[in-house]
């Protein structure tokens, strides 16, 4: 269903009513990654107990009410390929993903990263994103080298 239109370079284009449901991060140890995303990044775990009990194939963390990040072990790549029917599609790297937070949480996350000895690998100012220009952003790796950008909008 198309819900609206937007002017892109003088040309009006329709857009759908769509939201990001989930993304998959390949990880060496889902429990190590789960702890990192819960304790350092501050995202609540989803199906964590079910995973620990062997009742779920992987844990996730909640980004918004409608978006999660799945923490899938590298060993699951073949299963994912078979499930999608596209062999070789699993395990492809993503440059980074970005989380938008308010300024207070931005500063609190920086402090938690420092407390947990997680290096901030880059900074940017006035960078463009889904909501326009963000005054500040920084980048850091998770335990498996997935790069996370965090930004706030004024």
């Amino acid at each position: 269903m198309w819900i609206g239109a937007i002017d892109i370079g003088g040309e009006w284009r329709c857009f759908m009513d769509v939201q990001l449901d989930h993304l998959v991060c390949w990880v060496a140890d889902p429990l190590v990654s789960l702890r990192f995303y819960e304790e350092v990044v501050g995202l609540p775990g989803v199906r964590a107990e079910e995973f620990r009990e062997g009742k779920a194939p992987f844990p996730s963390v909640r980004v918004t009410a409608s978006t999660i990040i799945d923490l899938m072990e590298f060993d699951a790549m073949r299963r994912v390929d078979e499930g999608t029917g596209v062999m070789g599609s699993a395990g492809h790297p993503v440059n980074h993903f970005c989380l938008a937070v308010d300024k207070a949480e931005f500063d609190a996350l920086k402090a938690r990263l420092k407390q947990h000895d997680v290096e901030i690998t880059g900074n940017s100012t006035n960078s463009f994103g889904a909501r326009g220009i963000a005054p500040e952003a920084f980048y850091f790796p998770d335990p498996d080298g997935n790069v996370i950008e965090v930004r706030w909008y004024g």
Side-chain angles (χ1 to χ4, degrees):
M1 175 177 167
W2 298 101
I3 64 161
I6 188 168
D7 181 7
I8 300 176
E11 181 179 330
W12 285 91
R13 296 192 184 169
C14 294
F15 57 93
M16 299 185 318
D17 181 12
V18 62
Q19 295 179 354
L20 180 64
D21 183 84
H22 72 279
L23 59 94
V24 175
C25 282
W26 297 109
V27 301
D29 184 332
L31 292 175
V32 168
S33 294
L34 177 66
R35 188 169 43 256
F36 176 82
Y37 280 93
E38 286 179 327
E39 295 177 9
V40 179
V41 180
L43 300 176
V46 176
R47 298 190 327 162
E49 287 311 309
E50 292 92 332
F51 176 74
R52 287 184 184 99
E53 295 168 1
K55 297 176 183 174
F58 54 86
S60 304
V61 290
R62 184 154 304 282
V63 178
T64 69
S66 60
T67 306
I68 60 173
I69 298 170
D70 297 334
L71 305 172
M72 195 168 293
E73 195 166 12
F74 289 113
D75 292 345
M77 284 185 204
R78 181 173 177 186
R79 239 182 16 253
V80 170
D81 270 351
E82 291 169 354
T84 63
V86 182
M87 296 309 288
S89 67
H92 287 277
V94 170
N95 179 267
H96 73 277
F97 62 88
C98 181
L99 303 173
V101 298
D102 65 24
K103 177 68 167 117
E105 184 55 38
F106 182 87
D107 293 335
L109 177 53
K110 266 189 168 178
R112 286 195 306 275
L113 292 171
K114 184 175 182 175
Q115 177 185 7
H116 289 271
D117 297 319
V118 176
E119 179 184 5
I120 292 176
T121 56
N123 294 283
S124 66
T125 57
N126 300 318
S127 59
F128 180 76
R131 297 188 219 165
I133 301 296
E136 291 179 88
F138 62 84
Y139 299 82
F140 62 95
D142 76 2
D144 295 282
N146 295 301
V147 178
I148 304 163
E149 176 185 351
V150 176
R151 61 174 49 211
W152 66 276
Y153 289 95

